[in-house]
Amino acid sequence: MKKLLLVLLALLAGVVFPVQGRINAALSAEAGDPILAAAASFAGGLLLMILICALHPGSRRATARVPAALRSGQVRWWHLGAGAVGGLVVFTQALTIGLVGAAVFIVALIVGQLLGNITLDAVGLSPAGRKPLTLMRGTAAALTVVAIMLILVPGISGDGFGAAWILSAGLALLAGMLNAGQQVINARQSAAYVSPAPVTLINFTAGLLALVVAGLVRGTESALGSLPELTEPTNWWYYAGGPLGCLLIAVSAVLIGRVGALAAGIGITAGHLLGAVAVDLVAPAEGVVVTGWTLGGIVIALGASCLIGLSGPRRPVRQR
């Protein structure tokens, strides 16, 4: 029952991501620049985390543990840069969702995450320890792949399918593979600090720095010069993407430490798909439609999430 509750929490966290993506895509259209939109989203999340870590006593104490965790080796210095992957994911959201729709973006991202999660669990890199690919877990992963393929059918057969569509999906796939590693690193940091607050703060700091550097390297002075115009957005919710990202990072860090990368990933995946379909129904990108294939894929993905939740706890691996 406890594991099922954790999977339900993963579903809820997963729903947040496509909503965040659609918001970032709208912000990108408003700003006229995906890097600027991603940076604005990260700036909002960073501001929220600074306030939380400064005002909440537990979060403040946890943040103070960061130097000690680095000195002891519980956290490696390069773990602090994991947030740069989050910057890539948010940039990819802002760049591609307007072209392929939330569902296709999420599908491509999920494929990368699934491949990464299976590998990370098999080699035992998550704080939950080594989790071999058992029959139950393998069946859940296979069902997730089937769901993904069903959802891809409308996009591949539609008029928008082409080089730009393939490139956008490929970028999302790469972001998903890198994101699987980021989530495990975040879970390790969360365990070391005994709180997800410091790792969320560090992620947003690293992600914002990476996006600022990317903008400077690209040399988009016109885009950087338009920052003052974004202080008064046409819609207030354009800047809700950052705070939603805080929630997703914190919950995923806790979940991976409790149930492992694959179980958390499949639960979050089902939530991603549910949220993506909701977004494409309520605020679709141009030319994007939700079909029976999409709904069938959602049902199968939810079945995979339930299957992994019912698989039962494994006996802990004995330390030699």
Side-chain angles (χ1 to χ4, degrees):
M1 182 59 69
K2 183 179 179 180
K3 193 169 185 179
L4 279 173
L5 290 175
L6 289 172
V7 171
L8 288 175
L9 181 60
L11 284 170
L12 179 61
V15 169
V16 167
F17 188 73
V19 175
Q20 180 200 37
R22 195 67 187 91
I23 290 171
N24 288 336
L27 180 58
S28 178
E30 174 88 356
D33 184 275
I35 291 182
L36 181 59
S41 177
F42 262 72
L46 178 59
L47 177 60
L48 175 62
M49 290 313 304
I50 288 173
L51 291 174
I52 290 174
C53 291
L55 300 178
H56 183 255
S59 298
R60 190 165 58 245
R61 288 192 297 270
T63 304
R65 298 188 187 105
V66 174
L70 286 167
R71 288 194 299 269
S72 68
Q74 283 182 288
V75 175
R76 305 295 184 181
W77 65 267
W78 54 270
H79 288 176
L80 304 181
V85 174
L88 172 64
V89 172
V90 173
F91 166 72
T92 306
Q93 284 179 333
L95 180 65
T96 64
I97 283 183
L99 176 64
V100 301
V104 172
F105 167 78
I106 291 297
V107 163
L109 189 85
I110 286 167
V111 173
Q113 287 180 328
L114 185 63
L115 293 173
N117 287 336
I118 289 174
T119 303
L120 292 166
D121 266 353
V123 299
L125 291 182
S126 83
R130 184 172 176 270
K131 291 182 175 291
L133 190 61
T134 61
L135 177 61
M136 187 76 80
R137 291 161 62 80
T139 301
L143 285 174
T144 305
V145 171
V146 171
I148 287 166
M149 297 310 297
L150 287 176
I151 293 171
L152 276 178
V153 169
I156 293 175
S157 59
D159 295 334
F161 182 70
W165 193 97
I166 294 172
L167 182 61
S168 297
L171 184 58
L173 176 70
L174 174 62
M177 294 175 69
L178 294 174
N179 193 44
Q182 181 205 17
Q183 289 177 343
V184 168
I185 291 173
N186 286 346
R188 285 187 169 274
Q189 290 189 74
S190 180
Y193 310 141
V194 201
S195 168
V199 68
T200 307
L201 173 66
I202 292 168
N203 266 241
F204 273 90
T205 303
L208 180 58
L209 288 175
L211 289 165
V212 169
V213 170
L216 293 175
V217 168
R218 195 186 57 180
T220 52
E221 296 180 2
S222 59
L224 293 174
S226 68
L227 273 171
E229 299 177 9
L230 294 176
T231 57
E232 296 182 3
T234 55
N235 291 292
W236 64 268
W237 50 265
Y238 280 179
Y239 294 128
L244 288 176
C246 294
L247 175 64
L248 181 59
I249 290 173
V251 171
S252 64
V254 172
L255 285 172
I256 290 175
R258 298 286 184 86
V259 300
L262 182 59
I266 289 177
I268 291 174
T269 289
H272 282 352
L273 294 173
L274 282 172
V277 169
V279 166
D280 282 346
L281 285 171
V282 176
E286 186 177 354
V288 173
V289 295
V290 176
T291 68
W293 292 102
T294 307
L295 298 177
I298 295 297
V299 172
I300 293 175
L302 289 173
S305 179
C306 292
L307 189 62
I308 203 72
L310 293 169
S311 61
R314 291 180 68 252
R315 284 176 288 183
V317 178
R318 292 183 180 179
Q319 300 294 329
R320 294 185 179 180

